[in-house]
Amino acid sequence: MTAGLTPTGFVSKTVEDLRAELEAELRAALGADLDTSAESVLGQLVAAQATKLRELWELAEIVYNARVPGGASFASLTELARITGTERRPATKGTATLSVTLTAG
């Protein structure tokens, strides 16, 4: 899977991708018969590491999205408006038309 900056934008790695990469690196270094199952100590360490690495990928995605008005929010949007010399509009109420269909029971 291609991750990081791509021609279409930023693509994060999933926990599953990160876990598979970590397991492959460990097997390459320590042997193909290495037990990385979820029940093993090593498997639990790999899962914990993959979860922490996923948090870094999420942070990278937030930083990337903060540079465009459609992706920025809160303080990032305020700073983006300041950098571009525009004024951030205040929040406005929205409306939506809904249709609900219920069945008996």
Side-chain angles (χ1 to χ4, degrees):
M1 177 188 110
T2 302
L5 290 178
T6 68
T8 58
F10 188 87
V11 178
S12 288
K13 290 185 181 183
T14 64
V15 171
E16 293 78 19
D17 295 333
L18 293 164
R19 184 175 178 132
E21 286 178 9
L22 290 168
E23 289 174 355
E25 289 177 18
L26 285 170
R27 285 196 177 96
L30 302 174
D33 61 342
L34 192 65
D35 182 13
T36 57
S37 65
E39 298 79 27
S40 71
V41 172
L42 192 54
Q44 292 176 15
L45 289 171
V46 166
Q49 185 68 26
T51 300
K52 288 298 178 186
L53 287 171
R54 173 65 184 147
E55 291 174 7
L56 289 174
W57 276 93
E58 288 174 357
L59 178 60
E61 187 171 19
I62 290 167
V63 169
Y64 174 80
N65 287 332
R67 66 178 189 75
V68 294
S73 59
F74 305 110
S76 298
L77 188 56
T78 301
E79 291 305 313
L80 184 60
R82 188 179 317 194
I83 290 169
T84 59
T86 58
E87 187 174 317
R88 181 176 174 188
R89 289 182 266 163
T92 58
K93 291 184 179 182
T95 60
T97 303
L98 301 175
S99 175
V100 178
T101 304
L102 303 173
T103 59

